[in-house]
Amino acid sequence: MNNLNDSYKAKGLRRQLVKEIKRKGIRSEAVLSAIKKMPRHAFFDPIFLEHAYEDKAFPIGEKQTISQPYTVAFQTELLDVSKGDKILEIGTGSGYQAAILLELGAEVFTIEYNHKLFLKTTDFLPKIGYYPHFFHGDGSLGLAKHAPYDSIVVTAGAPNIPNKLIKQLKIGGILVIPVGDQKQQKMIAIKKLSKNKASKKEFTHFSFVPLLGKDGW
Ligand code: SAM
């Protein structure tokens, strides 16, 4: 697969992308260096090389998108990842976010609702050297079988905060989830303080595809 070639051109475009998301406010050196290292063009058809390094979401088929790099960086920064963290990602999509989390040293559990995308990404990601634990199913319910997690990141827009997800966090764990309507959502970070207590921080608006399933749309 020639789109795995990491050319000087791709590296140069990636350096520009990192500058751009830094300018937009991403501060974590670990996150910036993971974005700098990740060959985002490998997640695209080779003819879309230039698009791969624009700070934009892009269609990946099945009416779904690979998230905008700034959005991935923003959510990842909120997760405050430490090496060895056990993280659940809801919405595998292209696998880009999962690969960034793996690059930061996390153990990643990722669940995708769309069967075709699940098959495609399960086949693709190991080919470029990234090995999360892949699951097919309704992530709006979390993934109780492997809980508890140090953090959970939802990469689709939810109508509200599913309680089950907070239950599946460790004490001290963080849930990052975009919540709103089907067009626009506010990024929310929940920190589980004890079995029954959590704190909540709200951030700016983003625009995700809808979270489907039982506790989604
Ligand atoms: N994280 C992805 C990436 O890095 O490419 C981007 C994800 S895309 C914006 C949202 C994904 O969430 C889509 O692939 C969609 O099929 C998936 N999705 C929607 N509802 C879901 C659910 N209930 N459980 C799991 N995945 C879901």
Side-chain angles (χ1 to χ4, degrees), residues 108-122:
V108 180
F109 294 73
T110 183
I111 180 163
E112 173 56 51
Y113 200 52
N114 182 292
H115 194 240
K116 276 193 188 158
L117 279 181
F118 162 75
L119 290 177
K120 191 174 166 191
T121 303
T122 305

Side-chain angles (χ1 to χ4, degrees), residues 43 60 62 64-67 72 75 89-98 110-114 117 137-141 155-157 208-214 216:
F43 295 73
I60 53 170
E62 299 296 304
Q64 302 302 333
T65 52
I66 177 171
S67 299
V72 172
Q75 289 196 286
E89 178 199 21
I90 297 167
T92 311
S94 69
Y96 180 74
Q97 169 78 78
T110 183
I111 180 163
E112 173 56 51
Y113 200 52
N114 182 292
L117 279 181
D138 181 4
S140 73
L141 306 173
T155 69
F208 284 82
V209 294
L211 179 73
L212 305 174
K214 194 159 180 286

Side-chain angles (χ1 to χ4, degrees), residues 28-90:
S28 160
E29 283 303 328
V31 173
L32 291 168
S33 97
I35 301 266
K36 189 167 169 194
K37 191 168 170 200
M38 190 60 60
R40 193 168 184 259
H41 64 279
F43 295 73
F44 286 58
D45 189 286
I47 58 168
F48 297 127
L49 173 66
E50 307 276 345
H51 293 280
Y53 295 113
E54 285 170 1
D55 189 25
K56 284 184 183 154
F58 199 79
I60 53 170
E62 299 296 304
K63 295 189 186 149
Q64 302 302 333
T65 52
I66 177 171
S67 299
Q68 181 181 349
Y70 171 71
T71 306
V72 172
F74 193 92
Q75 289 196 286
T76 308
E77 201 167 55
L78 288 178
L79 293 172
D80 196 18
V81 181
S82 298
K83 275 204 173 70
D85 274 2
K86 189 175 160 189
I87 302 185
L88 172 64
E89 178 199 21
I90 297 167

